[in-house]
Amino acid sequence: LFATAAEDQWFYQMYVDDLPVWGMVGEMLPDLDAAKGEHFGNDLSHLEEAVAKHSENGGEFKAYVYTKRTLHVSYNADRIIKVDLTSEPSSLTEVKTGATL
């Protein structure tokens, strides 16, 4: 199911104090262990570059899901006025049998 969610680019929606918040379940990416190598750095800061280069070379993609997210809640007095959800790229985990998600 998680592989399908990443492949079909599923999003989920939740509400915080009646404000909608959306997040991606996962993404189809090249082998991240290779992308973390010498060309792209360990922090995946150049992930978009790695994906573009991999696409150009006709490489295969694997399903990955985000396992950590950060909620940023902005408020004014006692009212929530904004909620942002950030999926942590460093938490991307390949969807495979036996993987801890």
Side-chain angles (χ1 to χ4, degrees), residues 40-68:
F40 299 108
N42 289 332
D43 63 355
L44 296 176
S45 60
H46 301 286
L47 186 57
E48 289 180 23
E49 181 183 344
V51 170
K53 192 170 193 172
H54 195 74
S55 292
E56 288 173 7
N57 296 335
E60 288 187 32
F61 287 83
K62 297 179 179 182
Y64 288 84
V65 294
Y66 291 100
T67 58
K68 293 183 183 175

Side-chain angles (χ1 to χ4, degrees), residues 14-35:
M14 62 182 172
Y15 292 88
V16 176
D17 200 28
D18 293 329
L19 295 172
V21 180
W22 294 274
M24 286 188 70
V25 173
E27 300 189 52
M28 296 299 291
L29 300 168
D31 183 352
L32 289 184
D33 290 331

Side-chain angles (χ1 to χ4, degrees), residues 62-77:
K62 297 179 179 182
Y64 288 84
V65 294
Y66 291 100
T67 58
K68 293 183 183 175
R69 292 155 185 86
T70 303
L71 275 174
H72 298 277
V73 180
S74 301
Y75 58 92
N76 184 4

